[in-house]
Amino acid sequence: MTIDPGDFVIDAPEPLSSRAANFLRTKARRQSFERGLAGERLEAEIRKVYGKSNDSFVRRLGQLQARYGGLTYHSGFFDSEVRFNPQCEPDGPDEELEILYAVETGGPIGASVTLRGDVEVGLDELGTVEFSSLDNLIESDALHGEADLLAHSRRVYLEGADMPEVLNRLVADAGLNLRQVDEASSINCRWFEGDSVVVFACSTWARLGLGMNPFISIWGDSEERVQQVEWFVI
């Protein structure tokens, strides 16, 4: 299958950060993907199912396919190899239009793009809006990739602890000097960087009811630095 040339995200990463651009350049690749219904065929199907056109949605799908279609890399957020394969399958007049298979993991969990452009993470009927865009997800995965290069790491699951309270303690301590990384943070996940330490706080999977407590992952260039952050968590 021939993929149309365009502003593919690896080749034209702006407005992604330099960290995300480097992550894509060194860790990602482009594979073939199925476009499914697109362009005039999708527009005709939308008119048939919903009784009216939705030009802006059709354009958005085309833009996402051109920018992300076939993008493949290992995702730290999903802890899996992912492939971006945005498609639309108008199901019925009672179902909201959405872009399916935006992120495929090879398992039941994945992500779709809503009519508003948000990225919803979930499986089957369970879902929660997590990222503001696919670029937001890529920024998170890029920071995962960078954090994994640090020599020491630990994950702490919160049992009964309040995530906002824990995060407030972390950012309030001047010795940790943690700064939130806004472009990589999302609705239920927060990224922080400090001196030789990176912190990822996530409650997405707990919100989905998948039997996993909220957790905080810590990476550092020394065991002492990791323990220093962990002391504020446990």
Side-chain angles (χ1 to χ4, degrees), residues 138-160:
I138 291 171
E139 292 282 2
S140 179
D141 282 332
L143 195 39
H144 264 291
E146 190 171 279
D148 284 338
L149 297 177
L150 294 172
H152 302 270
S153 64
R154 191 159 305 146
R155 176 176 288 187
V156 181
Y157 290 92
L158 304 183
E159 298 184 13

Side-chain angles (χ1 to χ4, degrees), residues 6-220:
D7 293 332
F8 188 59
V9 65
I10 295 178
D11 305 320
E14 298 80 9
L16 287 168
S17 67
S18 58
R19 168 167 38 217
N22 181 66
F23 170 76
L24 292 176
R25 186 173 59 253
T26 58
K27 302 297 183 182
R29 61 193 185 280
R30 191 180 196 184
Q31 295 185 328
S32 62
F33 70 101
E34 295 295 330
R35 291 185 181 274
L37 290 174
E40 293 180 357
R41 290 177 58 221
L42 175 58
E43 193 170 349
E45 186 66 16
I46 290 175
R47 281 198 304 270
K48 175 183 173 183
V49 172
Y50 294 94
K52 59 182 180 180
S53 300
N54 193 325
D55 295 342
S56 62
F57 181 86
V58 174
R59 284 196 301 272
R60 176 179 292 141
L61 176 61
Q63 291 165 352
L64 292 183
Q65 288 183 335
R67 179 167 173 81
Y68 304 101
L71 178 67
T72 304
Y73 62 77
H74 182 84
S75 165
F77 175 78
F78 286 104
D79 193 23
S80 169
E81 185 91 351
V82 297
R83 185 175 65 165
F84 290 54
N85 191 27
Q87 297 181 35
C88 179
E89 300 172 356
D91 203 17
D94 297 329
E95 299 292 330
E96 185 178 270
L97 272 174
E98 63 177 333
I99 296 172
L100 304 172
Y101 318 119
V103 182
E104 294 182 308
T105 64
I109 294 176
S112 60
V113 176
T114 71
L115 193 59
R116 299 174 302 277
D118 302 315
V119 177
E120 181 175 288
V121 172
L123 72 164
D124 298 329
E125 300 302 316
L126 299 175
T128 183
V129 172
E130 184 59 52
F131 298 96
S132 61
S133 66
L134 292 176
D135 278 357
N136 186 194
L137 168 61
I138 291 171
E139 292 282 2
S140 179
D141 282 332
L143 195 39
H144 264 291
E146 190 171 279
D148 284 338
L149 297 177
L150 294 172
H152 302 270
S153 64
R154 191 159 305 146
R155 176 176 288 187
V156 181
Y157 290 92
L158 304 183
E159 298 184 13
D162 182 68
M163 177 71 85
E165 179 185 340
V166 171
L167 295 183
N168 285 338
R169 291 202 304 266
L170 286 172
V171 298
D173 185 81
L176 294 179
N177 192 28
L178 292 178
R179 306 167 298 279
Q180 182 166 305
V181 185
D182 292 334
E183 67 271 16
S185 297
S186 54
I187 293 176
N188 300 296
C189 297
R190 296 287 184 272
W191 278 102
F192 302 89
E193 285 184 303
D195 299 329
S196 305
V197 68
V198 180
V199 178
F200 176 62
C202 181
S203 57
T204 307
W205 313 115
R207 181 173 290 275
L208 283 171
L210 299 182
M212 180 186 293
N213 287 335
F215 64 86
I216 293 181
S217 294
I218 310 161
W219 296 264

